[in-house]
Structure formats: C-alpha cells, structure tokens
Amino acid sequence: GTEDGLPLRLQRFSTWSRDEEQEGEAESERWIDSFHEAKELYAPNTKMIYVADREADQYNLLKELIDNDQYFIIRSRHDRTIHGPTYYLDWDIKSRKSFEGTSYYCPYEKKDIEVEVRSGTFSFNDPKDQRTRHLLRKGIDYIALKFVEIKHVTREKRWVLLTNLKVDNLADCMKVMKYYRQRWQIEEYFKVLKGGGCQVEKSNLRTYERLVNYLSVIAVVSWKIYYYQMLSRRDPDAEAKKHFKVSELEALSIHFYKNCSSEIFRTPLSSIIKLIAQLGGHNKYNKSNPGLKSLYRGFVKLEAKEETINDLKVSMGQKEEDRLQLAK
C-alpha cells in the first residue's frame, strides 16, 4: 500500500499449516522467504517498509532485515534480555521516565485518543547463543534496534514497536505508529476473505489441492471487493469511469435507468459502489456503507450482466472505440 494507507495490490499469497514440531526455526524461515520474495517485486529506488505483527518478532528475521538494509516495523512480542544494567527490554522501557503526551484520531472509535510515547535504542544478541545471553562481548554477534512505545492513557494498553527507522522526536515516533497501523488492512482483507461474501471457511473442501486452487481464485475476488470498498471511502467523489470498465457502467445504467446514458460515466464512485451493493440486496434507503456480503453478491451479478451486454454489442457490431467515445 501507499504511505497514506491506500492498498495497491495483493503481492503474495501462500498456504501454511502449522505443526508443533516445526515451530521456531521453520516459522522464521517462512517470514524470511516472504520478505525475499516481496523484495524482488519492487524497484530498487522504491523505499519499502516491512511491517509485521508480533509473530515476526524473531531474531533470525530481524537480523536478515538488517543485513539486507531493509526498513521495518515489527511489534514486540518477547520481553528479551538486552545489553545494559536494566537486563530486560521491558525494564529498560519503564526506566525511561521521560515521555511525551499526544493524541491521534482513531477512525474506528471516531474520536481523538490520548497516548504516551517513549522511544530509545537497545541491543541484544541471539538468545540461542549459549556463550552469553545479556552481556556484550567481543566475538558475539548482536543487533541494535530502536523501539517506540505507544501507551493508551485510558485503557492502559501499549504497543512496543521495533524499528530501524529514525525516531529522533515525537513526530518521527507518530510516523512509525502511522505506518504500523496500515498493517490492519491485512486483517480487513482477511475479514472479506473468510467472513465476508467469499466465506472461504465454509467451502468444506477436503483435499489440499482443491483448497489451493480455490484460494487462488477467491483471493483475487476478495481483493477486488476490499479495494473498491476502501477506494470509495478514501475518494468518494472520484469519477467512476476512472475505476470501472465501460461495459460494467453500461450494465449498471441499463439495469437501473433502463438506458445507456453517458451520465453514468460521471457518477461519483461512492454512488456506483452503492448501486452495485443494491444488486446484491443492499437497501437503497440505507444511508450506511454497504456490507461485504451485498458487495460480493452485487459484483457477481454485475459480471453476469456485463457479459450479456458485451455479447449483445458484438452481435450488433458495435465497436469498442464507439463505446469509449461515449464514456468521454
């Protein structure tokens, strides 16, 4: 996604079955493989930030990211032993009495949230290195990181984010938190994939091969629904013709207005999304945002109508260039 949180595409999708005997080393290898595969897909001059949740808080992955000069933000999971008199990371954070108070707008709670922010640096070595677990000595490989603690004032909840980005002041710390919050898009996407209209968990496929083939298709469908839902929220007044095909807009115009009017191409994106949701059962008098299930059913019906329109246009001999001219 972009720095402002607009999702761009689904970059990688793989299946994984956790085995208790494979936890640890195999888990870190999975994260490392995904990092290297993602790195191959963007241009060298593009600044990418690797963002991950607590599962990725592993020494092998952190060291791999640093060795490859990769920016990252990973939420801390382990209260590991560190170099210095405080001995533990959590103790070191609490010993830093200086903090700065600020607030940020939370779209989910629809209000400003008061937070306390601490930041600093620390270093630690591989916890599996038996020569020493907390002392910095010659010949011992170690890594140095920065941390940002974001503490919710009223709820006493806290995030500890590990990063190698600049955190020299409060503005830098809040930018790190802003980047990490974009990770929630992954959860939103899986909500569409599993609990939305796609309902992968109810597929009841009995073989691994069938499940992989099904996921390969439905993952793209879920992404399309999620992308348009996010796009309509971020840029509701954008012209629909910038994001939909001519045949899709023609199908909507014929269904709702009983003609193929050029006005449909200048309709705001948010209105088009609601029309598609109405195809899937969304009440047109409902002023709230359409749900995932209605969008899914709407896109399925829209695709069927689009195919019918295309077949009729071909049989009538109308050229695609003429239809594009109408859209302009």
Side-chain angles (χ1 to χ4, degrees), residues 255-270:
H255 178 83
F256 287 101
Y257 308 123
K258 309 306 177 184
N259 60 63
C260 189
S261 173
S262 60
E263 292 297 323
I264 193 70
F265 300 103
R266 291 182 287 275
T267 304
L269 178 63
S270 58

Side-chain angles (χ1 to χ4, degrees), residues 188-203:
E188 293 284 348
Y189 169 73
F190 274 100
K191 181 181 179 181
V192 179
L193 182 70
K194 298 192 295 183
C198 300
Q199 297 186 358
V200 168
E201 293 183 339
K202 295 183 179 180
S203 60

Side-chain angles (χ1 to χ4, degrees), residues 12 31 113-114 201 215 271 304:
R12 183 178 187 268
W31 286 100
I113 304 299
E114 298 294 329
E201 293 183 339
L215 284 173
S271 299

Side-chain angles (χ1 to χ4, degrees), residues 239-242 244-250 260-267 318-328:
E239 290 188 352
K241 66 181 182 180
K242 296 181 180 180
F244 286 91
K245 294 185 292 185
V246 173
S247 55
E248 291 176 328
L249 296 176
E250 287 177 338
C260 189
S261 173
S262 60
E263 292 297 323
I264 193 70
F265 300 103
R266 291 182 287 275
T267 304
Q318 185 173 358
K319 297 181 180 180
E320 180 70 18
E321 291 79 2
D322 298 334
R323 297 156 66 192
L324 290 174
Q325 187 65 30
L326 176 64
K328 294 179 181 179

